[in-house]
Amino acid sequence: MIASETLREAGVSEREAEVLRLVADRATNAEIAAQLYVSVRTVESHVSSLLRKLDAADRRALARLADDAAASGGDDASGAGAHDGAAALRPGPASGLPVPLTSFVGRAAEVSALTAALRGNRLVTAIGPGGVGKTRLVTAVAGEVAGDRRDGVWFVDLVPVTDPDHVAAAVGATLGMEEPRGRTIEDALLADLADAEALIVLDNCEHVVDGVAVFVERLLGRCPGVSVLATSQARLLLPFESTFPVPGLSLPDGGGDEVGGDGDGDGDAVALFVERARQVGVSDFTAADRRRIGEICRRLDGMALAIELAAARVPSLGLDGIEQGLSERFRLLAGGSRVDERHQSLRSTIDWSYNLLARGDKGLLRRVAVFAAPFTAATAAAVAGIPPVDPTEVAEGLARLAEHSLLVAKPGAETRYRMLETIRQYGEDETADHGELDGVRRRHLAWTRDVLADLDAQSDMSLAEGLGWSEGYAAWRAAFDQVAPDARAALMWAKRQDGIRAEAVEQIGFLASTCFTRGLLAEAQRRYEQVAERAGPGPARTEALLSAAGAATSRHTGNEALRLWRAASDAAVADGDPGAAAYALSRAAELVSRGPGIIASYPPEGEVDRLLAEAAPLASASGPPSSPERARAEVAILNARAFDINDRPPEEMAARTSAAIAAAESLGDPLLLSAALDAVTCVHLSFGELPAAVTAVARRIELVSAVRPVAQCGMEISDTYAMASEVALAAGDFGAARRYADILAGLPFHSEEGHIAVSRRLKVDALAGNIDRALADAARFRRGWEKAGRPVAKNLSGGAYAAAMIHGLRGDEPARAEWIGIATGLGGEPLRLEDCGTGYAPTFDAIVLLHMGDPAGAVARLAEDPADIQSWSNGEWRTWYAGLYAEAAVLTNHPDAEARIASARAVAAPNPIAAAIVDRATALAAADKARLVAVANTLAEAGCPYQWARTMILAGGDEATRGRQVLTDLGTAPMAEPKVF
């Protein structure tokens, strides 16, 4: 037999005693939760506590203990000592708490937080929009704390109350009071509760909020043991009120503004959907189904009522039907509680809130529903400020809507307001019903067009003027991100309207231009194509297609660029503009020779000749030789020929590039001149003329830094800095190479294209040995490439191979193999990667092989004499290759080591770091430690920590100790140390 004294000594609380009694009745945890108005998780916690406190083995043992207590007749099994034994094992008073007809799912964090708030405050108001789940939440919390209140919990539903003066009467009726004589019901109620220890739950206060505020202030002032838990869409505005915003249910992966979920990856919203679907007979959901359910819940803003109504339609519609129906969610989501008509459908729930608003606030709510993103009071006034909305009172109106939980306010330097999607659809429907939708949409279109035009004007500056490097760009970018969703939404509407073609085309053009500046290159390309589709015949169509082609090259999708240049040429021919047609064809021919690394599917042999054969007569037909149209076309043709230099004699290569530069100089077009200088840079790289290549790229930088970065010149600008970095790297100037690579990575139009932005910088840091920086950029590279859909872009393979080298130095062979696979996935041809065709692959591989103590493997990898490498594509790696070529020969005691050193010395001479590596090979051959230390000093001054550390280790002794520590700090695996001395 278990007595009350035993329970008290064991520390059993009143609530645990209640759970114990129900366990004895063989109730399940779910049944106990429903009867005590708590969550199943709370019941599980109480049962675990009882097992521990009463030293019981299982639930059956607990049940026997409770049965013994009941049979003892008079013992207080609750341990409270304040009530008779029979009452002690009964639930405490909780009059009128709604009996849940369905299980309470999730909300563990919210229950805990709201319970804590209630225990620390006498008035707590749970606020939130209709349907978010306020009533179920406070009911669960009231059940949790019922045992703490001697006189229990009293639940008062205020929905039937229409007069604010009748709040006290509704509370009195719930407490079972009769109409008193000689005094008011409120006075009698306050007298009755003066000594009570109770919680009063006031549900649905929003429509009588003034009456509730007056009553609660009097109640709490005269009844010190009473607390109030209220639900409302608006605060009571009492000075001692603690508010608890009720969020939507937690979404998968932490989406939404939720307090938290139960800790699983799906979130409470999915759990509720699945549970309600199970109750209507659908329970077989796969992992893929749950992901779809998560997106449905996200689109429903985590709103509990909407989720329950959607789940109830699964048997008839399936998930696909629900997904399709969410655009008409107010028709889809009906069929809720017939007891509470407000919750019969999602629309009726929001109708309740809407009808509480004043006329002007209703109009404001309808009109701001047009916004797709958070908006300010000034923005709302510009779009919604027409009768019945006074534009001077919009700010106050928005604040009132936020107070009624119909908007979410986001404080900051400028308060922004956000509307839940469900309420936005409701507002849009109301706008249409009032005949206002087209007018509001037109004002919204005009506002977004004005903002985009202003942003486009702000970005009308050259790189030299600071766009992309100043704080101004960060502000510009934030402003674009705020307006872009609305600009896209306005455009979707405008494209479906007759009579506003010009406005729509203008809007698309501004959106295309600003998208490019923002780095949204795929969207910029698509928008320019839309301009071309809607602009009709004329120069604007051709220019839009040229810009679309420019955006395509900037995002390294060469086949798209070729398609668009062909389309531009065809449009120009149709419009009678042969000069523009010739220019477009020449740009396509130029790309075929100049940019094979960004062309996934290479054109058939002879494509350059075919394009230029078509372009030449068009250029001649575009006007007299002195006309600007003809001159531009003919310079573009010369540039295309200047890049078509593979397998041509050196004198012909020089003649073609010289002709292109002279013609571009005469025309005065900085972009065409930059392209011609790139062609001559390629020739210099082919023949190891590094000083001349450095001069050429320096002039290109001077030219492009004075040009505004727009779609048609984006690739020219980015290629300039890419080539500048590559040439500086070939010349062993790490400082310049890194500086140019940083500029490339910071170009505004590359902000979303991480793999394009950091590819060159990866090579710089890999060669220098800045391993932490290289690993960070490798992660960005991979994210960007995968986000872009893993496109083929052979010119970026070198960056991936540099990452492979870093992992090789770290001794992580699986990661190295994975990155070599990425290089291949980017289009790196296996045969070219295996031989010397790329230059970078044998260079990076040899560095790893030498580090790991396999100089013979390095000799095999560096099979070609560096003097024989005479292609611009691998010419930039010739100097680095040469240094390693010499060292590998020495470390293997190669019979031709001396000859190899001599050949390497001549090739490496323009690169001081590569020359130092050749000197290191010479010192190793002579076992000259002093010379090795001198080489190490040279490498340290050049900013090459890895090669410095390697040289110190090769020197041996104390120097080796210092070198090993640096390699450890860099994060490499231990270096294999050949016996030199």
Side-chain angles (χ1 to χ4, degrees), residues 909-936:
N911 178 337
I913 301 174
I917 294 174
V918 175
D919 283 345
R920 185 170 69 196
T922 303
L924 288 170
D928 188 340
K929 179 174 180 176
R931 189 169 183 180
L932 282 174
V933 174
V935 168

Side-chain angles (χ1 to χ4, degrees), residues 45 85 112 127 343 405 448 549 619 638 681 713 756 791 805 817 840 915 948:
S45 177
S112 176
I127 58 174
H343 290 170
S405 301
T448 57
L638 286 173
T681 301
C713 66
I756 298 176
M805 185 200 84
Y840 61 76
W948 173 86

Side-chain angles (χ1 to χ4, degrees), residues 650 684-689 836 862-872 874-886 899-910 918:
H684 291 320
L685 287 174
S686 296
F687 298 112
E689 299 163 349
C836 296
L862 305 169
E864 192 169 340
D865 191 309
D868 296 333
I869 297 176
Q870 293 187 347
S871 165
W872 75 265
N874 59 12
E876 63 186 275
W877 293 96
R878 182 189 295 108
T879 56
W880 293 98
Y881 180 104
L884 300 168
Y885 177 84
R900 289 184 173 227
I901 289 175
S903 175
R905 189 177 303 283
V907 173
V918 175

